[in-house]
Amino acid sequence: MNLVAVGISFRSASVDLREKIAFTEPRRDQASGDLASRYGCEAAVLSTCNRVELYLARPGGESLPDVNLLAEFLGEYHGVLPADMRPHLIERRGADGVRHLFRVAASLDSLIVGEGQIAGQVKTTFEAARAVGSCGPFLNALYQHAQKTAKRVRTETGISKGHVSVSSVAVDYVRQVFDHFGDKTILVIGAGKMGRLTLKHLQELKPKRILVTNRSPEKAQDVAAECGGVAVPWESLDDALIQADIVLSTTGAPEQVVSEKRYAPVRGKRSGRTAVILDIAVPRDFDPAIHDGETTFVFNIDDLKGIREQTLARRRTHIERAEAIVDDECKRFLDDWGRRKNGQLIARLTQEFEAKRREVIEPLLGRLNGKLTEKERQEIEGAFRLYQNKLLHGPIAALGEASRDGNGPALLEAVRRLFRLE
Amino acid sequence: MGITIACFGLSYLTALGLELARQTRPVRSLRIAGLVFGTAGLIAHTIFLIYQQPNPATAFGSLVLLAWVLAVFYLYGAVHHRTQAWALFVLPVVVLLVGLSFIFQGGSETIGDWFSADNFWGSVHGILVLAASVGITVGFLASLMYLVQARRLRMKRSPLGGLRLLSLERLETMNRRAINLAFPMLTVGLLLGFMRVPSTSDPSVGWTAAKVLGTLGLWVVALVLLYLRYGAQVPPRRLALLTIAAFGLMLVTLVTAHPFAMAEGTR
């Protein structure tokens, strides 16, 4: 197996360079085809906002272009000087390249470890390469194994558990308090950008109704129209707070909108009903003292960001286990590929030994015909077969080991010559 | 029949150990192993009940029967709420009840004529009080989970951290339904028990027997719970605390000797 992975990522290059050499989808597919035809190999181009990587492979063992040639290729495509790119390019060959792709697909090399997008991007990359004909048997097998590895990491570790966007974390909190939403009222206060994003997530819960209020009635109408809610006057905020089960506050007000003193009568009129207040405004709209942890839960932007950090820290604790899975799958892939690639040669070698054994044993048994019992005849045949297997064991095991170490092609050639299998 | 309390008690304990291990290493094999041990325990428990037919009027009988119902409840929850820490709350109670039944194993009265046609109302009384006990125990479990979940939200902890539990609303509903069902059963069961007291001539069967007073106290607590919920609209957290107290009272009541059983034993 001969594989090279060359590219840049957020670890090695700034966004300035990354955006310069990023590929659009049509250009990516064109580049895959060009690489394959120019260097006579299998090729795929992975391009995301955080990385651009070229994967080239030759199952046979002939050498592949080095990092300088590939820097020139990228330079030609994007009009960037190869010398500017060269210090940022990372090259991984053979088993290292396999391991790298598995880590990328499993989101271990991502900016946000455990994010789910990258597995889909890897899938799209290799499927596109297959569509343009640049993805052959090796890259195809490699990509399928990468997907399998990503799935194992996702299901056997907690690396992808939890949400890391503020709006998703907010919805997670709401789900910890409420079970069903068909009877719930959401109140949206203000019309901030972050608020609209969170509201989109909340809408997916299919609440009974959405009330929208804003100092500007026009803005309230706009947001209400967007989310299929009802605009209520700013003066009716307290009444709306009494009705609401979930409050999403996102005003740009320079001062606090609802103090504890103002909320106390609201709480009294809610008949002990639970309320979740998502205060994602800065400065905060709700007095933190309103959070009593009994019937009223207030989560502000810092709480939500804190959860995001906790989630990321939690994900990091799963990295060690995930790396072990990647190592395990990497070894399996190399073994499988080695077996697949060596399979033909081993079959020929076995046939050759089989024929030689027959050449020796059949005349011998012919000469001894009538002098041996059936049992003695079987024992002689068995002994020769055992001898043949013992002789074959050494070369077959060595071929497997060489495939894993990256010395497979040389040893394959040696075995071919030694046993005259041409 | 070679099945003893230790057989299913240890199976439940092993299932609990595996569930605890799953909290630190959430792998599928541990979950499956936990379910296998839990199921094995329940099968052994069921066979034990069929062969032993313990008297629900005794501490041993009521505890071992209640443990069986909760073991079914555990398995149902473990299968349906696979991501939640359900087993971690239910299994300790099952193990506790099995442990207590082991301690109170001494009295070996079988159902005998308690479930005969002659004692039909006695049987109905027993079944209703046992069903009410199940309701109070379920309410207790829901309350315990509610308090843990509420504390997590009060402290604004990560939804991923610690034990994964059902939402506050769901747990509160579970508690409410359990008590709503337990109360009428306890009321009718208690009334049937009271109606039987004058019919026995034994002096040990009196209104002041610990079991009678305990059950009466439990009924009062259940009534207070209903009033606080529907009449005074007390916050769910306080109701949860009171439900836990009700469970404590129920356990004490269960382990006291039943006056009818005492009378039966002295005859």
Side-chain angles (χ1 to χ4, degrees):
Chain A
M1 172 263 301
N2 206 349
L3 169 77
V4 63
V6 167
I8 60 162
S9 74
F10 67 95
R11 293 186 196 281
S12 65
S14 67
V15 68
D16 284 348
L17 181 60
R18 293 205 310 270
E19 66 191 11
K20 273 183 198 157
I21 66 165
F23 289 89
T24 58
E25 274 186 26
R27 294 275 286 166
R28 175 198 67 193
D29 298 346
Q30 191 189 341
S32 301
D34 282 355
L35 278 169
S37 56
R38 187 180 298 188
Y39 300 113
C41 59
E42 297 179 31
V45 177
L46 172 67
S47 180
T48 72
C49 53
N50 282 326
R51 66 182 68 247
V52 174
E53 286 172 353
L54 312 178
Y55 289 87
L56 282 78
R58 279 204 189 110
E62 307 86 344
S63 65
L64 283 162
D66 66 6
V67 65
N68 296 317
L69 267 177
L70 293 171
E72 279 176 25
F73 175 86
L74 283 170
E76 275 175 40
Y77 250 80
H78 299 287
V80 180
L81 284 174
D84 292 345
M85 254 183 297
R86 185 63 191 86
H88 305 282
L89 284 172
I90 291 169
E91 179 186 25
R92 305 206 190 272
R93 287 186 174 266
D96 274 352
V98 173
R99 192 169 183 279
H100 175 71
L101 178 66
F102 287 5
R103 289 187 79 249
V104 168
S107 190
L108 284 169
D109 198 45
S110 296
L111 184 60
I112 294 170
V113 173
E115 54 99 359
Q117 252 187 329
I118 187 68
Q121 288 164 330
V122 169
K123 184 180 177 191
T124 313
T125 293
F126 284 89
E127 279 177 358
R130 205 157 47 188
V132 297
S134 67
C135 184
F138 179 77
L139 283 187
N140 206 23
L142 179 70
Y143 141 70
Q144 280 175 8
H145 212 104
Q147 292 290 104
K148 183 182 156 196
T149 306
K151 190 177 174 194
R152 250 194 91 188
V153 166
R154 212 168 44 246
T155 53
E156 291 181 25
T157 72
I159 203 154
S160 54
K161 287 212 172 113
H163 290 116
V164 286
S165 76
V166 167
S167 46
S168 303
V169 172
V171 175
D172 281 349
Y173 260 132
V174 172
R175 281 185 181 279
Q176 296 279 301
V177 177
F178 296 120
D179 180 54
H180 45 274
F181 297 88
D183 58 349
K184 303 290 182 298
T185 298
I186 295 178
L187 168 65
V188 184
I189 310 172
K193 190 179 167 192
M194 179 70 101
R196 290 189 186 203
L197 192 63
T198 310
L199 179 59
K200 260 189 189 172
H201 281 87
L202 288 174
Q203 268 182 282
E204 285 166 16
L205 301 173
K206 299 191 170 58
K208 183 181 159 195
R209 61 181 176 155
I210 299 174
L211 306 176
V212 183
T213 188
N214 198 299
R215 279 204 173 91
S216 149
E218 295 77 26
K219 279 189 182 168
Q221 287 288 357
D222 284 352
V223 178
E226 258 177 51
C227 65
V230 179
V232 292
W234 182 252
E235 296 70 35
S236 310
L237 175 62
D238 288 3
D239 288 338
L241 282 170
I242 293 168
Q243 295 171 50
D245 300 291
I246 302 158
V247 179
L248 174 62
S249 194
T250 171
T251 74
E255 74 290 343
Q256 206 168 66
V257 177
V258 184
S259 63
E260 165 65 2
K261 200 176 161 194
R262 180 173 177 181
Y263 193 76
V266 170
R267 187 186 273 123
K269 288 177 189 166
R270 289 180 55 84
S271 321
R273 276 166 45 238
T274 304
V276 176
I277 300 170
L278 303 168
D279 181 4
I280 55 175
V282 180
R284 290 173 293 184
D285 290 335
F286 282 74
D287 185 345
I290 292 171
H291 176 84
D292 59 13
E294 196 156 306
T295 55
T296 315
F297 298 91
V298 181
F299 301 105
N300 61 44
I301 192 80
D302 278 358
D303 299 327
L304 300 176
K305 281 184 178 166
I307 297 304
R308 176 195 145 100
E309 291 312 312
Q310 283 181 39
T311 304
L312 288 173
R314 192 169 291 275
R315 283 184 179 188
R316 282 193 284 272
T317 63
H318 294 276
I319 287 178
E320 199 180 327
R321 167 89 185 116
E323 295 281 10
I325 291 172
V326 167
D327 286 344
D328 179 42
E329 287 301 332
C330 195
K331 187 175 172 299
R332 278 190 201 192
F333 173 77
L334 294 170
D335 283 348
D336 285 353
W337 182 255
R339 262 197 296 276
R340 204 194 296 187
K341 197 181 59 178
N342 298 338
Q344 282 185 338
L345 186 80
I346 290 169
R348 281 177 61 194
L349 191 63
T350 311
Q351 277 168 8
E352 190 72 16
F353 269 63
E354 194 78 30
K356 294 261 161 55
R357 183 177 61 81
R358 279 208 198 97
E359 273 174 31
V360 172
I361 200 164
E362 278 171 7
L364 175 69
L365 290 175
R367 281 199 299 279
L368 295 172
N369 196 14
K371 293 175 190 165
L372 298 170
T373 63
E374 186 56 31
K375 195 183 169 204
E376 285 166 337
R377 190 186 164 88
Q378 281 175 0
E379 275 179 10
I380 291 171
E381 277 195 74
F384 271 84
R385 193 169 289 117
L386 183 67
Y387 180 63
Q388 175 196 316
N389 290 344
K390 282 186 182 267
L391 281 178
L392 279 171
H393 176 75
I396 291 172
L399 280 169
E401 285 159 17
S403 295
R404 279 197 296 276
D405 302 341
N407 302 319
L411 193 62
L412 271 176
E413 189 53 35
V415 169
R416 251 189 220 114
R417 285 194 185 185
L418 275 170
F419 294 99
R420 306 201 179 278
L421 297 174
E422 295 305 325
Chain B
M1 200 267 306
I3 294 174
T4 62
I5 294 181
C7 293
F8 53 86
L10 288 174
S11 289
Y12 294 141
L13 200 60
T14 311
L16 177 60
L18 289 163
E19 275 300 323
L20 283 167
R22 195 161 77 96
Q23 296 303 308
T24 49
R25 201 173 164 196
V27 291
R28 197 161 165 252
S29 53
L30 281 176
R31 179 177 178 268
I32 290 168
L35 282 175
V36 167
F37 273 96
T39 310
L42 183 63
I43 292 168
H45 199 158
T46 310
I47 296 169
F48 178 86
L49 291 180
I50 291 168
Y51 277 89
Q52 295 283 320
Q53 299 193 347
N55 186 346
T58 62
F60 166 71
S62 55
L63 289 166
V64 84
L65 282 167
L66 183 58
W68 181 82
V69 178
L70 284 177
V72 174
F73 185 63
Y74 143 70
L75 264 186
Y76 165 82
V79 171
H80 285 83
H81 307 294
R82 58 174 66 188
T83 57
Q84 315 287 339
W86 181 274
L88 279 188
F89 284 85
V90 188
L91 270 177
V93 179
V94 175
V95 171
L96 171 76
L97 292 173
V98 172
L100 282 174
S101 65
F102 183 76
I103 293 167
F104 289 94
Q105 203 176 0
S108 58
E109 304 98 312
T110 53
I111 289 177
D113 61 358
W114 280 96
F115 279 114
S116 66
D118 297 342
N119 261 313
F120 173 76
W121 291 112
S123 311
V124 175
H125 158 75
I127 290 166
L128 286 173
V129 173
L130 189 69
S133 306
V134 171
I136 289 168
T137 311
V138 170
F140 159 75
L141 289 167
S143 300
L144 211 58
M145 288 190 250
Y146 182 95
L147 290 177
V148 173
Q149 180 74 305
R151 183 181 152 76
R152 232 165 68 173
L153 286 162
R154 192 166 58 250
M155 310 296 283
K156 302 183 178 183
R157 297 240 171 89
S158 163
L160 282 181
L163 305 172
R164 300 198 74 180
L165 295 167
L166 297 170
S167 68
L168 286 184
E169 188 177 32
R170 181 86 179 265
L171 292 169
E172 212 275 315
T173 307
M174 197 195 286
N175 183 12
R176 189 181 66 231
R177 285 184 185 160
I179 301 299
N180 286 357
L181 283 173
F183 182 73
M185 286 192 276
L186 192 59
T187 308
V188 178
L190 207 55
L191 283 173
L192 286 175
F194 285 154
M195 282 192 283
R196 281 175 57 80
V197 172
S199 70
T200 169
S201 55
D202 198 292
S204 64
V205 182
W207 298 99
T208 53
K211 192 120 185 162
V212 177
L213 290 177
T215 314
L216 199 60
L218 196 59
W219 182 82
V220 172
V221 174
L223 183 69
V224 170
L225 268 171
L226 289 178
Y227 167 74
L228 292 178
R229 184 186 301 278
Y230 296 105
Q233 289 172 341
V234 163
R237 191 172 152 269
R238 285 175 220 177
L239 293 173
L241 287 169
L242 195 57
T243 311
I244 290 172
F247 175 75
L249 181 59
M250 186 199 83
L251 268 191
V252 173
T253 310
L254 282 182
V255 298
T256 55
H258 195 291
F260 297 158
M262 281 163 64
E264 190 87 346
T266 55
R267 262 175 225 163

